[in-house]
């Protein structure tokens, strides 16, 4: 039969690695040293070292005494605080109570001066004085009103009414009567039978002119004094 030439080497490799495949008991691993234990904050990221502040950016020194400071000993004052306080209490004015008001039964207090019932506004220096802008606005309105009235008067003077004299009135009245007679003569000359539209419209036109002239004549005869506007 066939025998491989690598048989002895395979047996040696199998015999050498056979002890590593045994599983009797835990595997032999390196035990950590008890000195390398996990410490507190050891896994937190470490910040870079803080730089020293410059002299210009330093904060001003506080007035609070330091721990190393010691109070000055041995200084005494000859002032009699008892007598001083007694004299100040006797000669001083009594403190006036602050005016307040209570809005509830439970006794909720509020300052009366800033609440609104006290009319502090009447004590102002400018109380009752008309503001400057109101005075200025009223003066501007008065000036504009005067200019408007002056313009109206000027316009009325230009278009003033003129009175007709007796001669002009009589001549105007005679002219109106003459015009009425001419229109009436034309009206009398119309044919008796109005059978066309043009004749009918012409007749209506003459009648309208006669009515208008009669109205003007009545107005002039009724009023002795007549004014006309200057154009």
């Amino acid at each position: 039969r066939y025998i491989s030439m690598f048989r002895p080497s395979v047996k040696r490799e199998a015999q050498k690695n056979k002890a590593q495949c045994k599983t009797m008991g835990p595997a032999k691993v390196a035990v950590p040293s008890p000195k390398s234990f996990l410490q507190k904050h050891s896994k937190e990221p470490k910040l870079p070292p803080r730089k020293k502040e410059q002299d210009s950016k330093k904060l001003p020194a506080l007035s609070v005494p330091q721990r190393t400071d010691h109070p000055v000993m041995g200084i005494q004052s000859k002032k009699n605080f008892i007598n001083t306080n007694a004299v100040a209490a006797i000669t001083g004015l009594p403190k006036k109570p602050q005016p307040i008001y209570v809005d509830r039964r439970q006794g909720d207090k509020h300052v009366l001066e800033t609440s609104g019932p006290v009319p502090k506004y009447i004590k102002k220096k400018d109380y009752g004085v008309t503001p400057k802008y109101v005075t200025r606005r009223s003066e501007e309105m008065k000036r504009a009103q005067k200019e408007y009235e002056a313009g109206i008067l000027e316009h009325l003077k230009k278009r003033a009414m003129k009175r007709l004299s007796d001669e002009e009135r009589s001549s105007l009245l005679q002219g109106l009567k003459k015009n009425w007679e001419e229109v009436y003569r034309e009206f009398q000359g119309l044919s008796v039978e109005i059978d066309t539209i043009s004749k009918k419209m012409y007749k209506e036109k003459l009648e309208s002119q006669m009515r208008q002239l009669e109205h003007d004549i009545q107005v002039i005869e009724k009023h002795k004094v007549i004014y006309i506007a200057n154009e």
Side-chain angles (χ1 to χ4, degrees):
R1 61 179 183 176
Y2 172 77
I3 299 174
S4 175
M5 60 180 298
F6 299 103
R7 184 177 182 182
S9 60
V10 171
K11 286 184 177 182
R12 278 197 307 271
E13 291 292 334
Q15 189 68 26
K16 183 174 63 174
N17 298 327
K18 185 177 181 179
Q20 297 181 1
C21 297
K22 293 180 179 179
T23 58
M24 297 299 293
K28 294 182 179 180
V29 295
V31 180
S33 174
K35 295 182 179 180
S36 60
F37 57 89
L38 183 63
Q39 298 182 0
K40 187 178 181 181
H41 304 295
S42 61
K43 292 187 178 182
E44 294 181 358
K46 295 183 179 180
L47 299 176
R50 187 176 181 180
K51 297 181 180 180
K52 294 184 178 180
E53 296 180 354
Q54 300 179 1
D55 297 338
S56 60
K57 296 183 179 179
K58 288 184 178 180
L59 298 176
L62 300 177
S63 60
V64 180
Q66 299 180 0
R67 294 176 57 187
T68 57
D69 295 344
H70 300 282
V72 181
M73 306 297 292
I75 299 177
Q76 297 181 0
S77 176
K78 297 181 180 180
K79 183 178 180 180
N80 192 344
F81 292 94
I82 298 176
N83 296 339
T84 303
N85 295 337
V87 172
I90 293 171
T91 58
L93 297 175
K95 185 178 180 181
K96 295 182 179 181
Q98 189 177 16
I100 58 175
Y101 73 96
V102 181
D103 61 350
R104 289 188 181 182
R105 185 181 302 176
Q106 287 77 7
D108 295 340
K109 299 179 181 179
H110 302 278
V111 181
L112 183 63
E113 184 177 2
T114 58
S115 61
V118 180
K120 295 180 62 178
Y121 58 90
I122 62 174
K123 299 179 182 179
K124 294 183 179 180
K125 295 181 180 179
D126 55 348
Y127 175 74
V129 180
T130 306
K132 294 182 180 179
Y133 74 93
V134 176
T135 306
R136 183 171 62 255
R137 186 179 300 173
S138 60
E139 292 177 356
E140 292 177 356
M141 292 177 63
K142 290 180 181 179
R143 183 168 60 255
Q145 184 67 21
K146 289 182 179 178
E147 293 177 356
Y148 175 74
E149 292 177 356
I152 293 296
L153 292 175
E154 186 68 22
H155 182 69
L156 292 177
K157 287 180 180 178
K158 291 180 180 179
R159 300 184 58 185
M161 305 297 288
K162 179 182 177 181
R163 178 179 177 180
L164 291 178
S165 61
D166 296 338
E167 293 80 6
E168 293 176 345
R169 177 175 174 275
S170 60
S171 62
L172 179 61
L173 185 60
Q174 291 176 3
L176 291 174
K177 289 181 179 181
K178 184 178 179 180
N179 293 338
W180 184 86
E181 290 176 358
E182 292 178 356
V183 176
Y184 183 71
R185 189 181 301 110
E186 293 180 3
F187 183 78
Q188 290 293 330
L190 294 175
S191 60
V192 178
E193 186 177 358
I194 307 298
D195 54 353
T196 60
I197 297 177
S198 60
K199 290 181 180 181
K200 184 177 180 181
M201 292 179 64
Y202 185 62
K203 180 184 178 182
E204 291 177 355
K205 179 181 177 182
L206 294 177
E207 291 177 350
S208 176
Q209 291 180 0
M210 290 173 63
R211 284 195 299 269
Q212 183 64 37
L213 290 171
E214 289 174 358
H215 177 266
D216 295 341
I217 291 170
Q218 290 178 2
V219 170
I220 294 176
E221 288 179 349
K222 183 179 180 181
H223 300 89
K224 301 297 182 181
V225 180
I226 298 175
Y227 290 91
I228 58 174
N230 292 332
E231 295 180 358

